[in-house]
Amino acid sequence: INKAVIVSDETSPYSNNATLLVTAIPNVSITKTSNQAVYATSDTGTFTLTLTNTGYYTATLDSLEDALPNNFQYRWTNGGSLYASLTSQPTTGSTGTVRWKFNPAATIAPGQTKTLTFRVKTPIVGVNYTNTARGYGVLASSTNGVISTTLPIGIAENEEVMVKSVD
C-alpha cells in the first residue's frame, strides 16, 4: 500500500491510498537432448529432458510426456534430478506417448534447472524422426501451463553407424 498526503496552508490536509499488486511468475523452458545424433537400428538411446526456470517464482511440474515416434519403445527412466520426485512412470515396452507424473508436483525454483533421463529402443527401420516432449503445470504465464520441445532423431539403415570428424 502506498499512501500520499498533501498538506497546504490554504486547504485541509488530503490523503489517499493506492494498492499495487505485483505478481511473480515462473518462466520455464524445456529442451530435449540425445546421447547420439544417429542411432543404429534396434539400438538403445538415452534422452534427457531439461527444464530451466528463468522466472522470479517457483514453478510446479505436474507431469512430463514424450510422444515417442512410431516403433520406438520406452525402456526405463534412469536418472536426473526429477527422478526422485516421480510418483508414476511409463511401463517398459510402452510405445506412443509416455508420461511421468509428480504428485505432489515437483518444484523448480527461480534460476534452477532439473532433468529427467530415460532410455528407448530404436526401431528396426532406418529413417529420420522428429520427437516432441511436453511439460504440464504452473510453468510460464504465456503457455497456459504447457511447454514443449522437439528433437530430430536419425536411425541408420544398417547396423553400423559411422561418425566422421574433421580436425
Side-chain angles (χ1 to χ4, degrees):
I1 296 179
N2 188 12
K3 183 175 185 175
V5 178
I6 300 173
V7 179
S8 166
D9 291 337
E10 299 174 12
T11 62
S12 300
Y14 176 77
S15 68
N16 200 352
N17 294 328
T19 303
L20 174 65
L21 177 63
V22 177
T23 304
I25 56 171
N27 185 28
V28 178
S29 61
I30 184 172
T31 57
K32 183 175 182 177
T33 55
S34 174
N35 68 322
Q36 296 176 203
V38 177
Y39 292 96
T41 58
S42 298
D43 201 356
T44 299
T46 301
F47 297 133
T48 300
L49 301 176
T50 302
L51 292 92
T52 302
N53 184 0
T54 59
Y56 298 100
Y57 190 75
T58 298
T60 55
L61 178 65
D62 299 321
S63 64
L64 282 171
E65 69 178 31
D66 196 301
L68 296 176
N70 288 339
N71 301 313
F72 278 69
Q73 288 185 350
Y74 169 81
R75 299 319 250 174
W76 64 84
T77 303
N78 60 328
S81 53
L82 287 168
Y83 183 73
S85 302
L86 286 174
T87 54
S88 71
Q89 56 184 308
T91 304
T92 298
S94 296
T95 58
T97 300
V98 293
R99 177 174 278 198
W100 297 265
K101 293 184 182 179
F102 307 91
N103 187 10
T107 58
I108 307 170
Q112 190 174 40
T113 295
K114 293 206 174 176
T115 61
L116 184 71
T117 303
F118 65 100
R119 297 182 62 110
V120 298
K121 183 176 181 182
T122 62
I124 58 172
V125 178
V127 296
N128 292 324
Y129 296 90
T130 299
N131 184 217
T132 301
R134 291 182 179 83
Y136 298 89
V138 179
L139 302 168
S141 64
S142 61
T143 63
N144 294 321
V146 181
I147 56 175
S148 66
T149 187
T150 59
L151 175 72
I153 304 167
I155 307 297
E157 195 60 49
N158 56 35
E159 291 296 322
E160 293 182 24
V161 175
M162 181 181 357
V163 176
K164 183 178 181 180
S165 63
V166 178
D167 291 331

